[in-house]
Amino acid sequence: MFFNSLAFAIFLPIVFSLYWFVFNKNKSTQNALLIVASYYFYSCWDWRFLFLLVFSTFLDYYTGIQIEKGKSEKSRKFWFWLSILVNLGFLGIFKYYNFFASSFSELLNSAGLKVNPFLLNVILPVGISFYTFHGLSYVIDIYYKRIKAEYNFVDYSLFVSYFPLLVAGPIERATHLLPQVKVKREFDFEKAKEGVCQIIWGLVKKVIVADTCATYANAIFDNYTSMNTFSLILGAVYFAFQIYGDFSGYSDIALGVSKLFGLDLLRNFNYPYFSRDIAEFWRRWHISLSSWFRDYLYIPLGGSKGGIWMKIRNTFIIFVVSGFWHGANWTYVVWGFINAVYFLPLLLSNSNRNNIDAIQLKFNFDSVKVVISIVCTFFLTCIAWVFFRAKTITDAISYLKRIVTNRDFKFQYLDNERYSYELLLLLGIFVLIEWNNRTKEEPLSGNRNILKIALAIGAIMAFGTFSDYKEFIYFQF
């Protein structure tokens, strides 16, 4: 069940009505309804993996209690590592086993040893990377005595399996979401109105920006050997907007839906393509994942407090692991490595925290430098996105090489029966809207919001891509 599907358009009003008009007596009935709705939502993908979700939930719930009750450090460590290893074990088997088996086999074959690897015929459970990280952060926080264990299984289950964030985040923290699910929610009309605005803007990003860009990006990447320099540059730009519109659109819908139920989720995107350097980009892109790796991997490794080699080591570890988290392909690893190369000079020169203030443009030379830095940062991210989008590292290198060597800058008629300038106009309007509303969570709320909502819905109906049913990119992670 996709957020941009008819099934979800039917599902959401039913759950909303039951939540506020039938199950609104106390927080227990509200939570019970949301759990049932969440398990149904998840079972629509593949009901068999529902058992894995329930097992993972119970594992972390039980081990969390045992860690807190542990009378000795040995006992606490046992339950802590049991949870860590089982969670990562499931993630490794379903997501990474075939990748490692195939890569090891290819390595041996290249050395002259013929090996036929044993591969698992399994599909990746949707959302496993996200709900696994929910549970891991909970157990880690209990072990280090940052939080108390949750003894109410219903409340904890909702924290893990809450349907708006279940399959593609944001990656929530127990310190943020659990306190909210432990109290009865009262209907807040203003919050619900904000939620509706955020849902609609998320749909604008998904069906107008992301899915339209996808038709162009696919036509270029799938035929890059026949594309000229201009088309290849546009292909990278289109994919940059595709993945931004797709993932941030999903996050906006998730946050908006949650506001309808009186719950606030962590903000996941903050206009990342207006960043002035790569460090700022990573403070604005997939914020819940970036902060998760910062708190549970980067800082425990020593962060940036050690010597120069420790800083270099930790930077590459966190970015490479982040890339590998996205998928079992060497292209994601290289994507993470490239971002580490981008980030490292800023860290070593102590300039990674330079751009933490709000962006202000005036008619002066400093504003020109800001615009140039934004364009350059976007250019660097587009280069990295080529590796993220390409099927193989060889394809990515060939794609970039052809940009440099072809040197033809004419508009090409693409396989999707369109010229690129049609989409460039659409993206230009989208960028202007986001720029003028960059201090807000989304552009539709505020003054004349009814008019803006009507225009957004009209744009979705007029310009949205519906002919080719598309799922969200991050569902595969």
Side-chain angles (χ1 to χ4, degrees), residues 239 278 403 433:
F239 179 72
I278 290 297
I403 289 178
I433 293 173

Side-chain angles (χ1 to χ4, degrees), residues 20-41:
W20 289 118
F21 299 110
V22 179
F23 292 83
N24 63 334
K25 295 180 180 179
N26 53 61
K27 69 98 177 176
S28 296
T29 55
Q30 289 178 324
N31 290 352
L33 172 68
L34 289 181
I35 289 176
V36 172
S38 298
Y39 284 163
Y40 172 77
F41 178 83

Side-chain angles (χ1 to χ4, degrees), residues 98-109:
N98 285 351
F99 167 74
F100 280 118
S102 298
S103 297
F104 187 64
S105 173
E106 291 173 5
L107 179 64
L108 293 178
N109 288 338

Side-chain angles (χ1 to χ4, degrees), residues 148-165:
K148 296 289 186 180
E150 177 55 56
Y151 285 76
N152 186 314
F153 184 67
V154 173
D155 291 351
Y156 178 74
S157 297
L158 182 58
F159 159 69
V160 175
S161 61
Y162 182 44
F163 73 88
L165 56 78

Side-chain angles (χ1 to χ4, degrees), residues 247-284:
F247 193 22
S248 70
Y250 179 95
S251 295
D252 281 337
I253 297 171
L255 268 67
V257 168
S258 292
K259 289 176 180 177
L260 295 180
F261 297 108
L263 296 170
D264 291 313
L265 299 182
L266 294 170
R267 188 176 185 180
N268 219 14
F269 288 85
N270 184 18
Y271 305 103
Y273 290 150
F274 298 145
S275 301
R276 290 156 289 185
D277 58 44
I278 290 297
E280 185 182 14
F281 174 82
W282 281 105
R283 289 193 295 271
R284 293 171 174 265

Side-chain angles (χ1 to χ4, degrees), residues 294-315:
R294 178 198 66 204
D295 295 342
Y296 298 106
L297 182 60
Y298 185 69
I299 293 177
L301 286 172
S304 57
K305 293 181 179 180
I308 184 170
W309 290 114
M310 180 180 286
K311 292 179 181 180
I312 294 173
R313 182 201 68 180
N314 294 347
T315 298

